[in-house]
Amino acid sequence: MLFHVRMDVHLPPDLDPDARATLLARERDRAVELQQSGVWPELWRIVGEYANISIFDVSSNDDLHDILSSLPLFPYMKIQVTPLAQHPSKV
Amino acid sequence: MLFHVRMDVHLPPDLDPDARATLLARERDRAVELQQSGVWPELWRIVGEYANISIFDVSSNDDLHDILSSLPLFPYMKIQVTPLAQHPSKV
Amino acid sequence: MLFHVRMDVHLPPDLDPDARATLLARERDRAVELQQSGVWPELWRIVGEYANISIFDVSSNDDLHDILSSLPLFPYMKIQVTPLAQHPSKV
Amino acid sequence: MLFHVRMDVHLPPDLDPDARATLLARERDRAVELQQSGVWPELWRIVGEYANISIFDVSSNDDLHDILSSLPLFPYMKIQVTPLAQHPSKV
Amino acid sequence: MLFHVRMDVHLPPDLDPDARATLLARERDRAVELQQSGVWPELWRIVGEYANISIFDVSSNDDLHDILSSLPLFPYMKIQVTPLAQHPSKV
Amino acid sequence: MLFHVRMDVHLPPDLDPDARATLLARERDRAVELQQSGVWPELWRIVGEYANISIFDVSSNDDLHDILSSLPLFPYMKIQVTPLAQHPSKV
Amino acid sequence: MLFHVRMDVHLPPDLDPDARATLLARERDRAVELQQSGVWPELWRIVGEYANISIFDVSSNDDLHDILSSLPLFPYMKIQVTPLAQHPSKV
Amino acid sequence: MLFHVRMDVHLPPDLDPDARATLLARERDRAVELQQSGVWPELWRIVGEYANISIFDVSSNDDLHDILSSLPLFPYMKIQVTPLAQHPSKV
Amino acid sequence: MLFHVRMDVHLPPDLDPDARATLLARERDRAVELQQSGVWPELWRIVGEYANISIFDVSSNDDLHDILSSLPLFPYMKIQVTPLAQHPSKV
Amino acid sequence: MLFHVRMDVHLPPDLDPDARATLLARERDRAVELQQSGVWPELWRIVGEYANISIFDVSSNDDLHDILSSLPLFPYMKIQVTPLAQHPSKV
């Protein structure tokens, strides 16, 4: 079941550089892990913004919330979820 | 080069049923044709809305505008285009 | 799987009264049928508005879109869908 | 009398971890207490957000305000209240 | 129980003048009747707009919806309802 | 001359508790004083929000600005003023 | 007493040309009359828009509403009124 | 003096095809004429929209309004004007 | 050439009181100086807000930007500029 | 390939003055370098705002994102990118 997810990252400008580097490394590791598991098939950067557009493929709403809230950057992101359905004209 | 496109369709409620059926058939044919050519790799329905989210893969901005404005529903759609870039954490 | 759905109805003011009465009767029948099937467990009127807030319990995003687009009033409604998850403090 | 309530939580990123843990524990206790008293019959997490959608069943507007402002997280939440009425098509 | 209600009127510009005059006379009669019954204690025009701000004093949400939807102008108004509570500094 | 005023209070979360208590006591005193003088005839809490809706009865725009900016919470409030006129259907 | 008023004109595109010309002539006459009476001291066109920004100098809110609703274009305008006060740095 | 102008075109869907073709031909002629005169140095299509972004180089605000309101499509466009100044980092 | 300018002031709540007093005194001096020079003919307070509406009379866009960015409060203000033209019905 | 880019700068008010001066000098150097390379052909200040409107001429979306995120002010800017196409009426 597919969901369209937009994530906008807002890191505090006075975040300690080491804490920031550690946080971003953990986020990258978690993102790789989730992609390899198959639940995060698409991930794009929005040009000019610290934001991404993603497609998630999960078995339920609860799964999706567990995945998104497991991201190390979760407390620093505004996330919008849009449920997707099969389009009748899709080849 | 990838672009995220959201299209919201607003057909006039008093459109003649035959004109409407013809218009939608032409839209479907054009959508199939564009998907088969490879420029429209993803197309999803937004749940509960007469709207879609799509990914287009084109060689230039001009190409994308030519494609979108060639859609028979173009005069009846609100279209928002977001340019996408490679995400550094993409596997 | 639960979804929160808000529907705002916008009927054209010049709709023929008979066509309108028929449309609303068909909507009511379909709403009753869907509630009795168990997929539409909650349905409330928003005070002062021609709008409702509903909870749907469906097995997939595709099911939800099929249900919503089967409503006779679908062409006259603005629908917003919000996926819900279990809340950790829910008793 | 039913009310639809959406609560969005905005905790300061630099909140002391112990103060935060205590605050959240108190919020959970109060939420459980209110649910058990019957005034908070529904409580859902919005997928991907630190936010909930709730239904409250209270005897008056004043009761609802007293309940919401008694929540330990009240100073950190944006709350929107929508009064609900019986829907004519509700089974 | 008090509610703050804002009503914005949007009459179709091509409404037949007689139908319009009849509609407005019926609205005025109903507004007078409701005020005399005590449920509509305050009613003000917003300067420069075809809109009003009102206070309603009703026994329940259902009562308020019945009253508002009984207004002859109801199909032509956008209505926003805000529940009010006692203010702790009110003399 | 009547004005509708909505005030939303935004106190900094790290305000010193004593300073906060003093500020709120001064605000309450000033609100009582203004109500007793007759310029602030109505004051309601918006359910679920740290906000009020008020009616002011003043002799000029300058009076109203002097009154509002004399409130101890003025630097912490977002204030919206709407001029009101007599409604033709008011009983 | 001064008020800032913005008026946006929305004439129906299918208005009969003669009716339109008559309406605009009446609007111009009324605008001249009001300016000459002293209640409408400033009137500017917003560049690129069918809209104006005006200053009105009236004795009360009721006066202002009577004046604005006497404009022949009133049914075709969206009007926003902002009360003005003396600025402490005004020379 | 430079101004940034965005124009969004909204033609009525039921415009007579001949009237529409004539209108668009007149718009094109006027756009060419204005560009050749030097006041409209830049003109771009926004990808996916019936809208343009333009730069105008005029001697005054009044000139700009005269130019924009001389466009045959003026009654069908929403226009937003943003004044531009020299940027200190411009080479 | 006339411009409509709205300025909303947002001073940090923890600004040092002396620094704040100095800043406001410098702003007042600069405002007086600019008014006396003739470029700032109108200046009003918006009732209930820490904001003003002004009219500037300048010879170019660059002049206006130089003037606005010379204000000591410039770093603390949100400024919106609207170019004005002669209105055809202005007496 | 042309893109319209709007950048709004939001520097923290408590940024150390030296750090701020260094940051702005680096931004200016980078802006000059990019303009000289030909990818940033237009750059204007928006009158009254700490913001610019720019045109970029790049070979791909990825190029544009690399350029924008290389700006020293990137962490302090809100950036909106709009893809541009050839306009059919462009001379």
Side-chain angles (χ1 to χ4, degrees):
Chain A
M1 213 167 53
L2 300 181
F3 290 86
H4 178 275
V5 179
R6 178 181 169 137
M7 308 183 205
D8 288 79
V9 185
H10 300 286
L11 288 175
D14 56 355
L15 193 62
D16 170 72
D18 284 352
R20 182 187 164 105
T22 304
L23 181 65
L24 295 184
R26 288 176 49 224
E27 177 77 12
R28 199 170 307 114
D29 290 351
R30 184 67 179 133
V32 167
E33 182 179 40
L34 287 166
Q35 289 174 81
Q36 286 170 340
S37 78
V39 298
W40 194 344
E42 299 290 358
L43 167 59
W44 301 285
R45 173 66 77 218
I46 298 177
V47 173
E49 305 190 30
Y50 193 0
N52 72 68
I53 287 177
S54 292
I55 303 295
F56 282 84
D57 186 353
V58 295
S59 59
S60 73
N61 289 349
D62 284 307
D63 272 9
L64 181 57
H65 187 71
D66 289 348
I67 288 167
L68 293 174
S69 56
S70 78
L71 293 171
L73 282 178
F74 181 73
Y76 304 103
M77 294 198 289
K78 176 166 167 40
I79 296 182
Q80 293 166 275
V81 174
T82 307
L84 300 176
Q86 176 75 14
H87 193 286
S89 299
K90 181 72 173 94
V91 174
Chain B
M1 214 168 51
L2 299 180
F3 290 86
H4 177 276
V5 179
R6 176 179 170 139
M7 309 182 205
D8 288 79
V9 185
H10 300 285
L11 289 176
D14 56 354
L15 193 62
D16 170 72
D18 283 352
R20 180 187 165 106
T22 304
L23 181 65
L24 295 184
R26 287 177 49 225
E27 177 77 11
R28 198 170 308 113
D29 289 350
R30 184 65 179 135
V32 167
E33 183 181 39
L34 287 166
Q35 289 176 79
Q36 285 169 341
S37 78
V39 297
W40 194 346
E42 300 288 357
L43 167 59
W44 301 285
R45 173 66 76 219
I46 299 177
V47 172
E49 305 190 30
Y50 192 179
N52 73 67
I53 287 177
S54 293
I55 303 295
F56 282 85
D57 186 353
V58 295
S59 58
S60 73
N61 290 347
D62 284 308
D63 272 9
L64 182 56
H65 187 71
D66 289 349
I67 288 167
L68 294 173
S69 56
S70 78
L71 293 171
L73 282 179
F74 181 72
Y76 304 104
M77 293 199 289
K78 177 168 167 39
I79 296 182
Q80 293 167 275
V81 174
T82 307
L84 300 176
Q86 176 76 15
H87 193 285
S89 299
K90 181 73 173 92
V91 173
Chain C
M1 214 166 52
L2 300 180
F3 290 86
H4 178 275
V5 178
R6 177 180 170 139
M7 309 183 205
D8 288 80
V9 185
H10 300 285
L11 289 176
D14 57 353
L15 193 62
D16 170 72
D18 284 352
R20 181 188 165 105
T22 304
L23 181 65
L24 295 183
R26 287 177 50 225
E27 177 76 12
R28 198 170 308 114
D29 290 350
R30 183 68 179 132
V32 166
E33 182 181 41
L34 287 166
Q35 289 176 79
Q36 286 170 340
S37 78
V39 298
W40 194 345
E42 299 288 359
L43 167 59
W44 301 286
R45 172 66 76 218
I46 298 177
V47 173
E49 306 189 31
Y50 193 0
N52 72 68
I53 287 177
S54 292
I55 304 294
F56 282 84
D57 186 353
V58 296
S59 58
S60 73
N61 290 348
D62 284 307
D63 272 10
L64 182 56
H65 188 71
D66 289 348
I67 288 167
L68 294 174
S69 56
S70 78
L71 293 171
L73 282 178
F74 181 72
Y76 304 103
M77 294 199 289
K78 176 167 168 40
I79 296 181
Q80 293 167 273
V81 174
T82 307
L84 300 176
Q86 176 75 14
H87 193 285
S89 299
K90 181 73 172 91
V91 173
Chain D
M1 212 167 55
L2 299 181
F3 290 85
H4 178 277
V5 179
R6 177 181 170 138
M7 309 182 204
D8 289 78
V9 185
H10 300 284
L11 288 175
D14 56 355
L15 192 63
D16 170 73
D18 284 352
R20 181 187 165 105
T22 304
L23 181 66
L24 295 183
R26 287 177 50 225
E27 176 77 11
R28 199 170 307 114
D29 289 352
R30 183 68 179 132
V32 166
E33 184 180 39
L34 287 166
Q35 288 175 81
Q36 285 171 341
S37 78
V39 297
W40 194 344
E42 299 290 358
L43 167 60
W44 300 285
R45 173 67 77 219
I46 298 177
V47 173
E49 305 190 32
Y50 193 0
N52 72 67
I53 287 177
S54 292
I55 303 296
F56 281 85
D57 186 353
V58 296
S59 58
S60 73
N61 290 348
D62 284 307
D63 272 10
L64 181 56
H65 188 71
D66 290 349
I67 287 166
L68 294 174
S69 56
S70 77
L71 293 172
L73 282 179
F74 181 73
Y76 305 103
M77 294 198 289
K78 176 165 168 40
I79 296 182
Q80 293 166 275
V81 175
T82 307
L84 300 176
Q86 177 75 13
H87 193 286
S89 299
K90 181 74 173 91
V91 174
Chain E
M1 214 167 52
L2 300 180
F3 290 85
H4 178 276
V5 179
R6 176 180 171 139
M7 309 183 205
D8 288 79
V9 185
H10 301 284
L11 289 175
D14 56 354
L15 193 62
D16 170 73
D18 284 352
R20 181 187 165 105
T22 305
L23 182 65
L24 295 184
R26 288 176 50 224
E27 177 76 12
R28 199 171 308 113
D29 290 350
R30 183 68 180 133
V32 167
E33 182 181 39
L34 288 166
Q35 288 175 81
Q36 287 171 339
S37 78
V39 298
W40 193 345
E42 301 288 359
L43 167 59
W44 301 285
R45 172 67 76 218
I46 299 177
V47 173
E49 306 190 30
Y50 193 0
N52 72 68
I53 287 177
S54 293
I55 304 294
F56 282 85
D57 186 353
V58 296
S59 59
S60 72
N61 290 348
D62 284 308
D63 272 10
L64 181 56
H65 187 71
D66 289 348
I67 288 167
L68 294 174
S69 57
S70 79
L71 294 171
L73 282 178
F74 181 73
Y76 304 103
M77 294 198 289
K78 174 166 168 40
I79 296 182
Q80 293 166 275
V81 174
T82 307
L84 300 176
Q86 176 76 15
H87 194 284
S89 299
K90 181 72 173 90
V91 174
Chain F
M1 213 168 51
L2 300 181
F3 290 86
H4 178 276
V5 179
R6 178 182 170 137
M7 309 182 205
D8 289 79
V9 185
H10 301 284
L11 289 175
D14 57 354
L15 193 62
D16 170 72
D18 283 352
R20 180 188 165 105
T22 304
L23 181 65
L24 295 183
R26 288 177 49 226
E27 177 75 12
R28 200 170 307 114
D29 289 350
R30 184 67 179 134
V32 166
E33 183 181 39
L34 287 165
Q35 288 176 81
Q36 287 170 341
S37 77
V39 298
W40 194 345
E42 299 289 358
L43 167 60
W44 301 285
R45 173 68 76 220
I46 299 177
V47 173
E49 305 191 31
Y50 193 0
N52 72 67
I53 286 177
S54 293
I55 303 295
F56 283 84
D57 185 353
V58 296
S59 59
S60 73
N61 290 348
D62 283 308
D63 273 9
L64 181 56
H65 187 71
D66 290 348
I67 288 167
L68 294 174
S69 56
S70 78
L71 294 172
L73 282 179
F74 181 73
Y76 304 104
M77 293 197 290
K78 176 167 168 39
I79 296 182
Q80 293 166 274
V81 174
T82 306
L84 300 176
Q86 177 75 14
H87 193 284
S89 299
K90 182 74 174 90
V91 173
Chain G
M1 213 167 51
L2 299 180
F3 289 86
H4 178 277
V5 179
R6 176 180 171 139
M7 309 183 206
D8 288 79
V9 185
H10 300 285
L11 289 175
D14 56 354
L15 193 62
D16 170 72
D18 283 353
R20 180 187 165 106
T22 304
L23 181 65
L24 295 184
R26 289 177 49 224
E27 177 76 12
R28 199 170 308 113
D29 290 350
R30 183 69 179 131
V32 167
E33 183 180 39
L34 287 165
Q35 288 175 81
Q36 287 170 340
S37 78
V39 298
W40 194 345
E42 300 288 359
L43 167 59
W44 301 285
R45 173 66 76 218
I46 299 177
V47 173
E49 306 191 30
Y50 192 0
N52 72 68
I53 287 176
S54 292
I55 304 294
F56 282 84
D57 186 353
V58 296
S59 59
S60 72
N61 291 348
D62 283 307
D63 272 10
L64 182 56
H65 188 71
D66 289 349
I67 288 166
L68 294 174
S69 57
S70 78
L71 294 171
L73 282 179
F74 181 73
Y76 305 103
M77 294 199 288
K78 175 167 168 39
I79 296 182
Q80 293 165 277
V81 174
T82 306
L84 300 176
Q86 176 76 14
H87 193 285
S89 299
K90 181 71 174 94
V91 174
Chain H
M1 215 168 51
L2 300 180
F3 290 86
H4 178 275
V5 179
R6 176 179 171 138
M7 308 182 205
D8 288 79
V9 186
H10 301 285
L11 289 175
D14 56 353
L15 193 62
D16 170 72
D18 283 352
R20 181 187 166 106
T22 304
L23 181 65
L24 295 184
R26 289 177 49 226
E27 177 76 12
R28 199 170 308 114
D29 290 350
R30 184 66 180 134
V32 167
E33 183 181 39
L34 287 166
Q35 289 175 80
Q36 285 170 343
S37 78
V39 298
W40 194 346
E42 300 289 358
L43 168 58
W44 301 285
R45 173 66 76 218
I46 299 177
V47 172
E49 306 191 30
Y50 193 0
N52 72 67
I53 287 176
S54 292
I55 304 294
F56 282 84
D57 186 353
V58 296
S59 59
S60 73
N61 291 348
D62 283 308
D63 272 9
L64 181 56
H65 188 71
D66 289 348
I67 288 167
L68 294 174
S69 56
S70 79
L71 293 171
L73 282 178
F74 181 73
Y76 304 104
M77 293 199 289
K78 176 167 168 38
I79 296 182
Q80 293 166 275
V81 174
T82 306
L84 300 176
Q86 175 75 15
H87 193 285
S89 299
K90 182 70 174 93
V91 174
Chain I
M1 214 168 51
L2 299 180
F3 290 86
H4 178 276
V5 179
R6 177 180 171 139
M7 308 183 206
D8 288 79
V9 185
H10 301 285
L11 289 175
D14 56 354
L15 193 62
D16 170 72
D18 284 352
R20 181 188 165 104
T22 305
L23 181 65
L24 295 184
R26 289 177 49 225
E27 177 76 12
R28 198 170 308 113
D29 290 350
R30 184 67 179 133
V32 167
E33 182 180 39
L34 287 165
Q35 288 175 81
Q36 286 170 340
S37 78
V39 297
W40 193 345
E42 299 289 358
L43 168 59
W44 302 284
R45 173 67 77 220
I46 299 177
V47 173
E49 306 191 30
Y50 194 179
N52 72 67
I53 287 176
S54 293
I55 304 294
F56 282 84
D57 186 353
V58 296
S59 59
S60 72
N61 290 348
D62 283 308
D63 272 9
L64 181 57
H65 188 71
D66 289 348
I67 288 167
L68 293 174
S69 56
S70 78
L71 293 171
L73 281 179
F74 181 72
Y76 304 103
M77 293 198 290
K78 175 167 168 39
I79 296 182
Q80 293 167 274
V81 174
T82 307
L84 300 176
Q86 176 75 15
H87 193 285
S89 300
K90 182 72 174 93
V91 174
Chain J
M1 214 168 51
L2 299 180
F3 290 86
H4 178 275
V5 179
R6 177 181 171 138
M7 308 183 205
D8 288 79
V9 185
H10 300 285
L11 288 175
D14 56 354
L15 193 63
D16 170 72
D18 284 353
R20 182 187 164 105
T22 304
L23 182 64
L24 295 184
R26 289 176 49 225
E27 177 76 11
R28 199 170 307 114
D29 290 350
R30 183 68 179 132
V32 167
E33 182 180 39
L34 287 166
Q35 288 175 81
Q36 287 171 339
S37 77
V39 298
W40 194 345
E42 299 290 357
L43 167 60
W44 301 285
R45 173 67 77 218
I46 299 177
V47 173
E49 306 191 30
Y50 193 178
N52 72 67
I53 287 177
S54 293
I55 303 294
F56 282 85
D57 186 352
V58 295
S59 59
S60 73
N61 290 348
D62 283 308
D63 272 10
L64 181 57
H65 188 72
D66 289 349
I67 288 167
L68 293 174
S69 56
S70 78
L71 293 171
L73 281 179
F74 181 73
Y76 304 103
M77 293 198 289
K78 176 167 167 39
I79 297 182
Q80 292 167 275
V81 174
T82 307
L84 300 176
Q86 176 75 15
H87 193 286
S89 299
K90 182 71 174 95
V91 174

